């Protein structure tokens, strides 16, 4: 019996199966597979376990963040009006009326002429409206770390720079306002979203649960890694590469022992694998000319279609369903046995199925860039060729190099790749220097183009982490904000500016970190 006959007889025996005898496109295979999948149900999920999962509820803020106005700097809480006119040449003094660490609320009030020593994050005491950072007081040279307040209380503080109202104050609700819709249902929970949930005090959220995927390798030639190598045998790499891919997509992989090529062994393993599974993935036994028991068992136990997909590697593919003992119908993805083909079909079809179950919609599609091929990418037989490539950004352009021999058994071609360069079905070859699409994979992503330097100077912007105050003859000439890396240029800018002011008797340049927003 030929492959075509076998496929045909299976399709006529089983009307629900979708069993074309001819090749189908990658897109069609994907569409048919995805028709069997939907997002799974939601479950309460502890925050740290939810990373990569999809939020199944809307999150609203029960309170504002920060809850109270608080200080962005270590320093002194003052009435801004009390600091008017303070300069390095003619500073003024305020009496210190208290101390406040982050985590406490000051129960008194900052009266006229008074200051409260305050640490970053502590709520602004009543009466105060600005923070003078240590760097603008006589504490600028002191070692704050080793000087607990209760051991060396101060009676007064020298203020060297006048404070604007609201200087260094972080406003209540600056981040989140009470009642705000903070995260929408459907949001993928990454590290930042999980941080936001924690900042709202939530220990667990409703998230779409992770699919459970059973992985089964089949073949008499296979040995588990760790066993001694025997003549004629190879190690089972598919179980490990496929389980790792499955876990990297956000599903939970369960691996079974290798099934030998007997009807009994394979049947038993498949039934074992169905329990508790949302998807069962097998590898091997689906290729043309492979008339072993795998196909027989798959057909007898489930409703399986054997497809020929117009792609390389990965032409033979089986897809269908198995009835589980609890009445559920479990989708089955039968991947080819060759290690690269198994991984590539998992990348294209398994990933799409798992992302769909995770509720991530079409985000399974990998980002694709246009790259210049450094090597010839040859299409041997009119199938879409996914060549394993390493993509690099050179002078702002992507260059794709093949990672060595491209045989379906050459697994190192995968391990060296950070992209799949695509030679379309109707193109014989992409020649060196020609453009091609490269699907980027998560491994060692190429570095982004170096961003243009932020131009500093003129005003304090959000990018400025260094503030430079220039005073000539006791008068403030200007204040600039600079990103740290621009400090050299800032000094040059000041020299230019001073030329315009004339030659002062004294020049004071005060450079400080702007805030503790580190
Ligand atoms: P098959 O589809 O059974 O004809 O397998 C195709 C090729 O893939 C053969 O060379 C197998 O030895 C190889 N192969 C099958 N399963 C695995 C596996 N789990 N790990 C590594 N190679 C495999
Ligand atoms: Mg085999």
């Amino acid at each position: 019996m030929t492959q075509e006959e076998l496929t045909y007889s299976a399709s006529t025996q089983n009307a629900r199966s979708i069993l074309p005898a001819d090749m189908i496109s990658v897109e069609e295979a994907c569409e048919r597979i995805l028709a069997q999948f939907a997002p799974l149900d939601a479950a309460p999920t502890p925050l740290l376990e939810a990373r990569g999962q999809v939020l199944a509820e809307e999150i609203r803020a029960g309170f504002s963040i920060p809850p109270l106005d608080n200080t962005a700097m270590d320093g002194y809480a003052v009435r801004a009006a009390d600091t008017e006119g303070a300069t390095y040449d003619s500073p003024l003094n305020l009496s210190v009326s208290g101390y406040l660490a982050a985590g406490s609320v000051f129960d008194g009030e900052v009266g006229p002429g008074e200051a409260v020593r305050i640490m970053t994050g502590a709520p602004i005491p009543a009466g105060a409206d600005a923070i003078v950072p240590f760097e603008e007081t006589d504490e600028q040279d002191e070692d704050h770390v080793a000087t607990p307040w209760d051991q060396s209380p101060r009676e007064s503080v020298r203020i060297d720079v006048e404070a604007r109202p609201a200087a260094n104050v972080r406003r209540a609700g600056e981040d989140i306002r009470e009642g705000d819709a903070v995260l929408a249902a459907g949001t993928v929970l990454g590290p930042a979203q999980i941080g936001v949930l924690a900042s709202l005090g939530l220990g667990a959220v409703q998230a779409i649960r992770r699919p459970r995927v059973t992985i089964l390798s089949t073949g008499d030639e296979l040995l588990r890694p760790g066993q001694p190598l025997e003549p004629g045998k190879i190690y089972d790499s598919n179980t490990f590469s496929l389980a790792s891919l499955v876990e990297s997509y956000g599903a939970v992989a369960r691996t079974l022992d290798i099934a030998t090529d007997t009807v009994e062994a394979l049947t038993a393993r498949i039934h074992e694998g169905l329990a508790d599974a949302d998807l069962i993935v097998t590898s091997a036994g689906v290729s043309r000319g492979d008339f072993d028991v795998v196909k027989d068992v798959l057909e007898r136990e489930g409703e399986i279609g054997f497809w020929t997909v117009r792609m390389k590697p990965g032409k033979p593919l089986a897809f269908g369903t198995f009835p589980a003992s609890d009445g559920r119908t479990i989708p089955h993805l039968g991947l080819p046995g060759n290690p690269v083909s198994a991984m590539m079909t998992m990348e294209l079809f398994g990933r799409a199925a798992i992302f769909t179950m995770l509720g991530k919609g079409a985000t399974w599609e990998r980002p694709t860039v246009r790259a210049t091929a450094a090597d010839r990418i040859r299409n041997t037989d009119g199938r879409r060729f996914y060549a394993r490539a390493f993509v690099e950004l050179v002078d702002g352009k992507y260059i794709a190099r093949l990672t060595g021999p491209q045989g379906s058994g050459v697994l190192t071609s995968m391990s060296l790749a950070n992209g799949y360069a695509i030679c379309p079905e109707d193109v014989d070859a992409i020649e060196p220097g020609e453009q091609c699409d490269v699907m980027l994979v998560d491994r060692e992503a190429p570095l982004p183009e170096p961003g243009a330097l932020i131009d500093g100077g003129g005003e304090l912007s959000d990018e400025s982490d260094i503030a430079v105050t220039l005073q000539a003859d006791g008068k403030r000439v200007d204040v600039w904000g600079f990103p740290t890396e621009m400090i050299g240029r800032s000094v040059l800018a000041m020299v230019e500016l001073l030329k315009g002011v004339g030659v002062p008797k004294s020049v004071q340049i005060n450079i400080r970190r702007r805030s503790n927003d580190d």
Side-chain angles (χ1 to χ4, degrees), residues 308-359:
T308 311
V309 184
R310 203 170 175 188
M311 65 180 279
K312 183 186 167 180
K315 180 170 68 170
L317 191 73
F319 182 72
T321 55
F322 281 110
S325 53
D326 61 4
R328 294 183 310 140
T329 302
I330 313 296
H332 166 238
L333 192 52
L335 305 181
N338 275 306
V340 181
S341 312
M343 281 192 80
M344 193 62 81
T345 43
M346 174 60 92
E347 284 275 71
L348 293 179
F349 307 120
R351 180 179 156 91
I354 288 169
F355 272 47
T356 302
M357 286 189 276
L358 279 165

Side-chain angles (χ1 to χ4, degrees), residues 67-262:
L68 300 168
D69 288 356
N70 68 91
T71 173
M73 296 286 288
D74 298 323
Y76 284 87
V78 299
R79 293 166 176 254
D82 286 351
T83 67
E84 216 174 291
T87 67
Y88 285 97
D89 284 349
S90 64
L92 50 81
N93 286 298
L94 296 176
S95 70
V96 177
S97 62
Y99 170 78
L100 189 59
S104 327
V105 177
F106 192 68
D107 49 16
E109 191 174 322
V110 176
E114 288 180 352
V116 165
R117 199 169 184 270
I118 190 168
M119 301 300 126
T120 302
I124 306 291
D129 63 352
I131 302 297
V132 179
F134 284 149
E135 291 87 337
E136 295 179 0
T137 72
D138 56 347
E139 288 207 50
Q140 58 188 310
D141 303 323
E142 288 177 23
D143 176 6
H144 306 296
V145 182
T147 320
W149 172 252
D150 51 6
Q151 286 164 30
S152 55
R154 299 167 62 101
E155 298 207 327
S156 72
V157 60
R158 191 189 76 215
I159 305 291
D160 293 338
V161 179
E162 71 177 34
R164 284 169 291 111
N168 301 307
V169 174
R170 297 193 288 222
R171 289 285 176 213
E174 178 182 278
D175 185 1
I176 293 170
R177 281 177 192 284
E178 182 180 345
D180 277 355
V182 183
L183 294 173
T187 303
V188 177
L189 298 174
Q193 289 74 22
I194 287 181
V196 166
L197 292 170
S199 75
L200 290 166
L202 298 166
V205 286
Q206 283 288 331
I208 295 179
R209 73 172 174 82
R210 296 184 189 281
R212 289 180 288 266
V213 179
T214 300
I215 311 279
L216 172 59
S217 282
T218 67
D220 284 343
E221 76 277 33
L222 301 179
L223 289 173
R224 269 295 208 247
Q227 291 177 268
L229 189 57
E230 294 167 26
K233 306 275 187 183
I234 59 165
Y235 287 115
D236 162 24
S237 60
N238 289 351
T239 294
F240 297 86
S241 57
L242 296 175
S244 302
L245 282 176
V246 159
E247 296 262 343
S248 76
Y249 304 150
V252 179
R254 175 176 164 226
T255 60
L256 300 182
D257 283 343
I258 295 159
T260 51
D261 291 329
T262 67

